[in-house]
Amino acid sequence: MKFKLDPVADEKIERLLSQMTLEEKIGQMSQVRHFDDISPEDIQTKFIGSVIHTQGPVPGKNAEEWQEKFTELQKQALSTRLQIPLLFGVDAVHGQNTYEGATIFPHNIGLGAAGNLDLVEQAAAITAIESKATGFNWVFSPCVAIPMNEKWGRVYEAFSESTELTTKLTEASIKGHQEKNGNMGVMATAKHFIGDGATDFGKEGGITSLSREEIIERLLPPYQAAVDSGVASIMVSFNSLDGQPMHAHKELITDLLKVQLGFDGIVVSDWKAYSRFGQNDIIKAGIDMVMAVDGDLDGFQEGVKNGVLDGSIPEERINDAVRRILRQKFRFGLFENPFPDKSLVNQIGIPEHRAVARQAVRESLVLLKNKNQALPLKPNSKIVVVGPFANNSGLQSGGWTVNWQGTTENYQGATTLLEGIQKFSQSEVKYDAEGKADIEDVDVAVIVVGENPYAEFFGDIDGEMNLFQLTLTEEHQNLINAYTEKGIKTVVVLISGRPLVVTPQIEQSDAFVAAWLPGSEGDGVAEVLFGLFDFKGKLPHSWPKSVEDFQGKFGPNFWEESIQPLFPLGFGLTYQAENLNE
């Protein structure tokens, strides 16, 4: 939905601007957490424009208390001289994933595998409803990066390595977030502008050495689509381009994004950007709202004020930022309806929402191998389910689930793959969590392996944390070995945020399924394994063949024509495939 110019709102914005002090303008540009960064009176005295909820203390024990917390803060904002309401933002990247009990969708890589525009729009619309139900009017989603190296710890946040597919799904996601049956949803955010997934060697916040032509051709189309779709905000990336931080890159933020692409919404910084990336340089480059967190607030407000007073920051740059912020507050109805909608609370995690998430799970699964009709599972077969990932909703959901780095525990309202298999099986299902049980009297072993949850730089491979690898851990390889060595038919389900090098494990298994990070509806995986639905998913990324192929800046299958993938972009078998038994 591309917004039309609203002369009445523009007149109100200019009237407000003419009344604002410099301190009030800078306050509108300030985004803080509802804990740690501020005391309650700071909303009024520092004229805060936005509040973010992220890792840390939750606003309350339930959705009603979350709403009450944000209502209290909103009342403080409305008691100021100009009565400008607050924006409340949250990283709701696969559902309202900060609230336990919400509907959690597959991460974007799974939605990319599904490739279903209507489904992506529905998922975004449900995310908007459940985010509003917990008090938010702004979400930092979708991520529209083009991942170019599996070593990057945020591959799963993006839809695909395909620019064309990413562009289409971006449009659907923004429409779903911002418009529901003609009614306003929440502000969406396309991120991270630009080059976040295209850094050399897949390093989070690293250097993007692509040429300007490559950036325009491969990375820019989803942002153009986002702007054309009326996206409310765009978040800037941690990476560097042309020897300078993206946050301070005026040529790309102002000249390209705002002027050439015509973006009239809010350009928001990423975490603690003011102190990290040149302080006032980021404002002069075109950043409109700053995450002034972790002690940045006072330094940001004072620094920008001094910059305007000494002439190093033109006040018109400040006015432009505030216009953009006020424009979205008017467009999304905050002046008329500043408080959370209590009637939405009972829609969090409802069966209708979970049914859409379960459909997304089913359509996201990619069948990479199926020998001797190992799949579909037969309801009367004797089945053993193997591995801790089979019975843990936290492990199956990945990062940005309940906590920033995810959780390794079961969480409220979710179903696991084991529960799904038990639900659809007509025979006893055995469970071998560690792969060490003395079990041989079974027809098939469903072995669930994968990556532990991670988010951002924690998930980088060969990064500063160095916690992850391109292959399965030895422990998970042994889960598969334990049953193939017994001669038992094996179906391997991979839970991961990216394609991994699993060539030996694919060769030794009878069937192999890429399940990505399915979220709260683990039983959706079981529905497809039992043949209640066919496989529909197609690879949103080409699948790497060997660790040795990862020598260059980018993934081995991205631009190196001499390196052939194990499976190409778009590959995926079905139960009806002619080569099913090969």
Side-chain angles (χ1 to χ4, degrees):
M1 177 179 63
K2 181 70 172 177
F3 289 100
K4 297 179 181 179
L5 295 175
D6 185 344
V8 175
D10 287 346
E11 182 180 341
K12 292 178 181 177
I13 290 169
E14 293 306 317
R15 190 183 312 127
L16 272 174
L17 262 177
S18 68
Q19 300 175 63
M20 294 176 77
T21 65
L22 179 57
E23 290 82 1
E24 287 171 324
K25 293 176 183 177
I26 296 171
Q28 281 300 300
M29 298 170 66
S30 305
Q31 182 176 76
V32 297
R33 291 177 294 188
H34 60 85
F35 57 88
D36 289 353
D37 297 327
I38 57 170
S39 59
E41 61 271 14
D42 283 342
I43 296 290
Q44 298 179 46
T45 61
K46 298 181 179 179
F47 313 109
I48 302 300
S50 177
V51 170
I52 181 176
H53 170 63
T54 183
Q55 183 68 33
V58 295
K61 296 189 297 290
N62 51 47
E64 289 85 356
E65 290 189 6
W66 285 45
Q67 286 200 10
E68 289 170 8
K69 174 67 174 180
F70 297 140
T71 295
E72 174 190 338
L73 295 177
Q74 192 69 280
K75 286 179 178 178
Q76 292 179 34
L78 296 176
S79 68
T80 58
R81 181 175 70 93
L82 296 176
Q83 302 177 23
I84 300 174
L86 289 164
L87 287 167
F88 294 97
V90 64
D91 280 296
V93 300
H94 65 139
Q96 207 310 50
N97 45 256
T98 69
Y99 184 81
E100 185 169 0
T103 307
I104 308 297
F105 292 90
H107 269 294
N108 280 352
I109 191 171
L111 297 180
N116 184 331
L117 274 63
D118 291 338
L119 191 56
V120 169
E121 182 180 338
Q122 288 182 65
I126 290 168
T127 299
I129 291 170
E130 298 196 13
S131 296
K132 291 178 75 170
T134 46
F136 298 98
N137 43 42
W138 187 6
V139 299
F140 303 129
S141 180
C143 176
V144 301
I146 309 295
M148 294 172 63
N149 195 320
E150 285 82 359
K151 291 182 178 181
W152 188 41
R154 307 186 78 152
V155 169
Y156 66 80
E157 292 188 50
F159 293 114
S160 174
E161 70 182 34
S162 163
T163 300
E164 180 181 4
L165 178 59
T166 300
T167 300
K168 292 177 180 178
L169 297 184
T170 295
E171 294 173 340
S173 179
I174 291 167
K175 182 178 180 183
H177 279 111
Q178 295 192 168
E179 183 181 6
K180 172 64 176 174
N181 297 326
N183 298 319
M184 202 62 70
V186 294
M187 289 171 48
T189 305
K191 64 182 189 184
H192 304 84
F193 188 82
I194 190 168
D196 51 344
T199 58
D200 297 354
F201 306 104
K203 178 178 174 58
E204 167 68 0
I207 296 170
T208 300
S209 62
L210 298 180
S211 69
R212 192 56 45 86
E213 292 74 20
E214 290 165 340
I215 289 172
I216 298 300
E217 177 186 354
R218 291 183 176 269
L219 308 185
L220 191 62
Y223 287 100
Q224 181 68 73
V227 172
D228 293 343
S229 299
V231 70
S233 68
I234 291 177
M235 186 181 293
V236 180
S237 179
F238 283 142
N239 64 293
S240 296
L241 278 159
D242 308 323
Q244 61 180 314
M246 187 61 232
H247 274 78
H249 209 305
K250 182 177 182 296
E251 179 188 350
L252 293 179
I253 296 174
T254 295
D255 300 344
L256 177 60
L257 178 60
K258 290 184 173 182
V259 177
Q260 187 173 328
L261 268 62
F263 178 57
D264 70 351
I266 300 168
V267 176
V268 61
S269 84
D270 209 330
W271 193 260
K272 204 172 169 62
Y274 185 75
S275 60
R276 290 185 60 182
F277 300 117
Q279 298 185 350
N280 287 353
D281 288 345
I282 76 171
I283 306 302
K284 290 184 282 187
I287 300 295
D288 302 314
M289 182 173 284
V290 171
M291 288 189 191
V293 292
D294 279 346
D296 271 11
L297 178 61
D298 291 341
F300 161 65
Q301 292 196 335
E302 191 66 24
V304 173
K305 179 180 177 181
N306 290 337
V308 174
L309 294 179
D310 68 20
S312 61
I313 300 178
E315 187 159 6
E316 183 48 42
R317 169 74 275 273
I318 304 301
N319 290 341
D320 170 62
V322 178
R323 279 191 192 96
R324 290 167 176 273
I325 294 164
L326 294 177
R327 185 179 294 133
Q328 300 302 0
K329 291 184 177 184
F330 275 108
R331 280 178 173 170
F332 282 82
L334 266 70
F335 283 89
E336 294 81 12
N337 298 293
F339 298 112
D341 185 348
K342 295 180 180 179
S343 69
L344 294 177
V345 169
N346 62 5
Q347 294 193 45
I348 297 173
I350 59 176
E352 292 85 352
H353 291 178
R354 295 191 180 280
V356 175
R358 195 161 56 252
Q359 179 186 352
V361 172
R362 295 194 299 259
E363 296 193 16
S364 71
L365 305 177
V366 180
L367 181 61
L368 298 179
K369 178 182 181 181
N370 193 19
K371 184 177 68 175
N372 300 326
Q373 294 184 312
L375 288 174
L377 299 174
K378 298 175 177 58
N380 59 355
S381 291
K382 292 181 286 185
I383 301 170
V384 58
V385 179
V386 183
F389 277 58
N391 195 34
N392 189 305
S393 57
L395 293 176
Q396 77 190 21
S397 298
W400 300 107
T401 306
V402 182
N403 300 296
W404 171 40
Q405 291 296 322
T407 178
T408 57
E409 306 292 337
N410 284 304
Y411 59 87
Q412 180 181 338
T415 59
T416 68
L417 176 54
L418 174 63
E419 291 171 332
I421 290 177
Q422 291 171 332
K423 176 180 178 181
F424 298 113
S425 175
Q426 297 174 4
S427 182
E428 178 188 2
V429 176
K430 298 179 180 180
Y431 179 48
D432 182 5
E434 298 181 355
K436 297 177 180 179
D438 185 17
I439 296 175
E440 295 192 16
D441 184 25
V442 291
D443 299 310
V444 60
V446 177
I447 305 170
V448 188
V449 295
E451 298 181 291
N452 284 326
Y454 55 82
E456 299 193 47
F457 64 92
F458 280 88
D460 281 3
I461 293 172
D462 298 335
E464 58 187 285
M465 303 304 294
N466 202 28
L467 298 174
F468 293 90
Q469 58 192 50
L470 285 164
T471 60
L472 289 178
T473 64
E474 183 178 357
E475 176 187 7
H476 280 200
Q477 292 181 39
N478 287 337
L479 291 176
I480 301 172
N481 293 338
Y483 280 86
T484 56
E485 289 172 359
K486 295 177 182 179
I488 294 172
K489 187 181 295 185
T490 55
V491 173
V492 177
V493 177
L494 176 64
I495 304 292
S496 70
R498 52 194 156 199
L500 297 178
V501 176
V502 287
T503 305
Q505 289 74 44
I506 292 175
E507 290 176 351
Q508 71 183 124
S509 64
D510 293 285
F512 199 100
V513 177
W516 315 113
L517 300 170
S520 60
E521 310 310 303
D523 56 357
V525 180
E527 289 180 310
V528 179
L529 296 185
F530 275 97
L532 300 176
F533 298 89
D534 202 352
F535 282 92
K536 289 188 175 182
K538 305 298 178 184
L539 288 180
H541 296 270
S542 48
W543 199 281
K545 182 168 70 277
S546 71
V547 172
E548 289 70 31
D549 289 340
F550 282 86
Q551 302 297 324
K553 293 179 181 179
F554 308 119
N557 310 316
F558 207 87
W559 281 344
E560 293 288 344
E561 295 182 2
S562 61
I563 301 176
Q564 295 300 311
L566 186 64
F567 302 108
L569 174 74
F571 179 84
L573 299 173
T574 68
Y575 286 135
Q576 281 75 43
E578 293 180 3
N579 61 345
L580 190 65
N581 296 318
E582 294 182 1

